[in-house]
């Protein structure tokens, strides 16, 4: 009887941990200040949108208030989160069959994100060596409506999984060109996170008054920097090549100086 009780108790504990979406970490991993773990906001969102689970919605609002406000107000543009009818609007919006399929497919494809956690950690460690003053952001996942891929806030990066389901994903073929679909792959998540985060930290001054060439070179500076911290370069263009040529012939220029320069004539 005691043995039976112990087995039942063990099963109950395992069931409880699973329902709370706990994740056992590698020993010592939780003490690593450089370790980046993507926050799975998308799982709460999926629970609410697929089943109407009100407890998931409550947790979205209490644990992730900024993320929820950003999704509802800025990404989906459904209205203010303080609107008394906003929860129904949010739920109704995602009852479209296409969006329901996207939710299901995103959760299946991204059931495990250890590879992305590892790559983000390694990339940000390298990036901090190049840019010592940079701060690590909090990174989370969400499911949007095929709008923005990456959302950047104050030390916050949101990844819209619905934009990274693979270039051959059937729904994409209805809305995006072949060239656009090339970057809608899992392998672009980390490069995109780094690129948009750096662009938020090093915005181009007087962007609207700059020439298109200068704008291209500014983005190329960021892409070149991102290439330096990835296992393999992901961004290739003639503008990235121009920056690369400049840095090869100016070994004394630091990445921080490169990112802060406003003299784009030196790359031409």
């Amino acid at each position: 009887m005691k043995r039976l009780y112990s087995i039942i108790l063990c099963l109950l504990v395992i069931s409880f941990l699973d329902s709370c979406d706990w994740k056992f970490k590698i020993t010592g991993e939780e003490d690593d200040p450089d370790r980046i773990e993507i926050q799975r906001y998308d799982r709460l969102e999926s629970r609410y949108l697929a089943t109407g689970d009100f407890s998931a919605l409550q947790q979205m609002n209490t644990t992730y208030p900024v993320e929820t406000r950003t999704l509802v107000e800025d990404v989906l543009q459904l209205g203010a989160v303080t609107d008394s009818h906003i929860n129904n609007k949010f739920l109704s919006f995602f009852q479209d069959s296409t969006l329901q399929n996207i939710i299901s497919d995103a959760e299946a494809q991204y059931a495990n994100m250890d590879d992305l956690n590892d790559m983000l950690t390694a990339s940000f460690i390298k990036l901090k060596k190049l840019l010592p003053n940079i701060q690590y952001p909090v990174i989370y996942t969400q499911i949007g409506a095929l709008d923005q891929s990456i959302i950047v806030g104050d030390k916050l990066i949101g990844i819209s999984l619905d934009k990274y389901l693979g270039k051959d994903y059937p729904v994409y073929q209805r809305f995006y060109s072949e060239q656009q679909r090339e970057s809608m792959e899992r392998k672009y998540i980390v490069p995109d996170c780094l690129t948009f985060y750096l662009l938020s930290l090093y915005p181009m001054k007087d962007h609207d008054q700059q020439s298109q060439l200068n704008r291209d070179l500014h983005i190329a500076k960021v892409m070149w920097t991102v290439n330096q911290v990835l296992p393999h370069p992901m961004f290739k263009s003639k503008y990235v090549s121009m920056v690369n040529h400049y840095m090869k012939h100016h070994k004394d220029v630091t990445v921080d100086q490169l990112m802060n320069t406003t003299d784009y004539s030196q790359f031409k």
Side-chain angles (χ1 to χ4, degrees), residues 133-151:
N133 293 326
I134 199 170
Q135 292 184 312
Y136 288 177
V138 172
I139 304 177
Y140 69 96
T141 44
Q142 66 175 17
I143 298 172
L146 300 178
D147 190 1
Q148 301 176 49
S149 301
I150 303 293
I151 299 93

Side-chain angles (χ1 to χ4, degrees), residues 187-206:
K187 66 182 180 180
Y188 279 98
I189 287 180
V190 173
D192 284 355
C193 283
L194 294 165
T195 299
F196 284 102
Y197 189 55
L198 284 177
L199 283 171
S200 74
L201 298 177
Y202 297 93
M204 187 177 200
K205 295 180 180 178
D206 302 319

Side-chain angles (χ1 to χ4, degrees), residues 14-267:
I14 292 173
S15 176
F16 172 75
L17 293 179
D18 182 63
S19 67
C20 291
D21 196 25
W22 283 34
K23 175 185 176 185
F24 290 102
K25 297 183 179 181
I26 299 172
T27 303
E29 185 178 282
E30 64 274 13
D31 300 321
D32 185 356
D34 292 323
R35 178 71 183 173
I36 290 179
E37 290 282 342
I38 298 172
Q39 304 296 306
R40 297 304 303 267
Y41 173 79
D42 66 290
R43 287 179 171 167
L44 289 173
E45 182 188 354
S46 176
R47 260 173 54 201
Y48 176 61
L49 297 177
T51 68
D53 184 346
F54 188 69
S55 65
L57 177 64
Q58 287 180 311
Q59 196 170 346
M60 287 169 63
N61 288 322
T62 55
T63 307
Y64 299 98
V66 175
E67 292 85 344
T68 300
R69 179 183 293 274
T70 300
L71 175 62
V72 172
E73 296 185 355
D74 301 330
V75 178
L76 302 177
Q77 298 183 359
L78 296 177
V81 292
T82 54
D83 183 341
S84 60
H85 301 292
I86 198 64
N87 295 339
N88 289 332
K89 288 182 182 179
F90 183 38
L91 186 60
S92 297
F93 182 84
F94 276 94
Q95 295 315 298
D96 175 84
S97 60
T98 297
L99 292 177
Q100 283 292 312
N101 287 333
I102 287 174
I103 292 171
S104 176
D105 293 338
E107 293 306 293
Q109 280 199 35
Y110 290 95
N112 186 297
M113 300 184 73
D114 289 345
D115 60 322
L116 298 175
N117 289 328
D118 291 342
M119 189 177 292
L120 281 166
T121 298
S123 297
F124 268 100
I125 288 174
K126 291 178 182 177
L127 188 62
K128 194 163 182 63
K129 290 179 180 178
L130 298 178
L131 299 167
N133 293 326
I134 199 170
Q135 292 184 312
Y136 288 177
V138 172
I139 304 177
Y140 69 96
T141 44
Q142 66 175 17
I143 298 172
L146 300 178
D147 190 1
Q148 301 176 49
S149 301
I150 303 293
I151 299 93
V152 179
D154 182 20
K155 287 177 266 184
L156 202 65
I157 299 176
I159 304 166
S160 293
L161 296 180
D162 51 293
K163 292 296 292 288
Y164 294 99
L165 297 177
K167 63 181 180 181
D168 296 323
Y169 188 62
V171 175
Y172 292 168
Q173 297 180 30
R174 292 159 45 191
F175 302 107
Y176 302 99
S177 68
E178 184 176 355
Q179 183 178 5
Q180 290 174 315
R181 298 199 304 270
E182 287 294 326
S183 61
M184 299 173 77
E185 298 268 357
R186 187 185 187 107
K187 66 182 180 180
Y188 279 98
I189 287 180
V190 173
D192 284 355
C193 283
L194 294 165
T195 299
F196 284 102
Y197 189 55
L198 284 177
L199 283 171
S200 74
L201 298 177
Y202 297 93
M204 187 177 200
K205 295 180 180 178
D206 302 319
H207 180 273
D208 293 338
Q209 282 72 51
Q210 297 285 347
S211 67
Q212 186 59 52
L213 177 57
N214 284 359
R215 295 177 192 174
D216 291 336
L217 286 168
H218 179 75
I219 295 175
K221 290 191 308 179
V222 173
M223 290 180 168
W224 179 89
T225 301
V226 172
N227 278 345
Q228 307 313 301
V229 303
L230 294 174
H232 307 286
M234 292 293 290
F235 299 113
K236 298 177 182 179
S237 72
K238 67 177 182 179
Y239 305 109
V240 174
S241 296
M242 290 166 69
V243 175
N244 187 57
H245 180 269
Y246 172 81
M247 292 301 285
K248 275 189 174 181
H249 291 81
H250 296 81
K251 302 285 188 182
D252 57 323
V253 175
T254 67
V255 175
D256 185 60
Q257 290 173 328
L258 171 69
M259 295 298 290
N260 281 297
T261 185
T262 58
D263 180 10
Y264 295 96
S265 63
Q266 58 193 322
F267 304 118

